[in-house]
Amino acid sequence: MKTFKLKKLEIADNNADIEQKKITLLDGLIINREDDNSQWIIEAYIGKSHFTYFSNLHEKKDEIMVHATITKESNEPATFIAKVLGVNEIGDDMNVLFIGNIIDRRKNIVETLLTDLINQGFQGRELLEKFKELA
């Protein structure tokens, strides 16, 4: 397992608007479990004002999109499809545990671009040249 410092956290659940919910962190960790399912654990130590929100997500067991910035705030956030694993009160604060899988956004961007070009009728050498032009 590999453990990293969690620097920023944003949540987008299925019931929320497209705008993401920024969560102010008091502290946090993210752990690559390096298991057969490529799952990650995210622990966010936050203020108790979010208790109802995360308790509801935990009860629903819905998958949510989590954007986690790791190690340095200047890093690009990693995107996860995750579920809330647990919500715990800790004095005047709380922690939220997530379990999920990381999404390779770069791969998704490339796949989307190629699909769009193919749908526009590009193929063979022409497809390659157009892809190089746009990528």
Side-chain angles (χ1 to χ4, degrees), residues 19-60:
E19 188 174 324
Q20 298 171 8
K21 184 178 184 78
K22 293 181 182 181
I23 307 298
T24 302
L25 292 173
L26 300 174
D27 205 355
L29 293 173
I30 184 162
I31 302 167
N32 181 349
R33 292 175 40 151
E34 298 179 335
D35 62 7
D36 292 339
N37 298 321
S38 301
Q39 291 183 314
W40 293 65
I41 298 286
I42 301 169
E43 179 185 14
Y45 184 61
I46 60 178
K48 204 185 284 187
S49 63
H50 300 289
F51 188 81
T52 302
Y53 174 74
F54 285 111
S55 293
N56 288 338
L57 286 175
H58 183 244
E59 287 175 19
K60 291 180 191 175

Side-chain angles (χ1 to χ4, degrees), residues 18-112:
I18 293 174
E19 188 174 324
Q20 298 171 8
K21 184 178 184 78
K22 293 181 182 181
I23 307 298
T24 302
L25 292 173
L26 300 174
D27 205 355
L29 293 173
I30 184 162
I31 302 167
N32 181 349
R33 292 175 40 151
E34 298 179 335
D35 62 7
D36 292 339
N37 298 321
S38 301
Q39 291 183 314
W40 293 65
I41 298 286
I42 301 169
E43 179 185 14
Y45 184 61
I46 60 178
K48 204 185 284 187
S49 63
H50 300 289
F51 188 81
T52 302
Y53 174 74
F54 285 111
S55 293
N56 288 338
L57 286 175
H58 183 244
E59 287 175 19
K60 291 180 191 175
K61 300 185 186 323
D62 286 345
E63 288 187 327
I64 56 175
M65 189 175 302
V66 176
H67 300 285
T69 303
I70 303 168
T71 308
K72 295 188 303 187
E73 290 190 23
S74 60
N75 287 342
E76 284 292 315
T79 301
F80 297 84
I81 298 296
K83 291 183 178 184
V84 175
L85 189 62
V87 178
N88 304 293
E89 293 183 69
I90 303 172
D92 292 333
D93 301 313
M94 62 180 279
N95 79 343
V96 181
L97 297 170
F98 303 88
I99 188 164
N101 296 89
I102 196 165
I103 298 172
D104 188 345
R105 289 191 299 182
R106 290 171 294 186
K107 181 180 175 186
N108 288 343
I109 291 168
V110 169
E111 287 175 357
T112 301

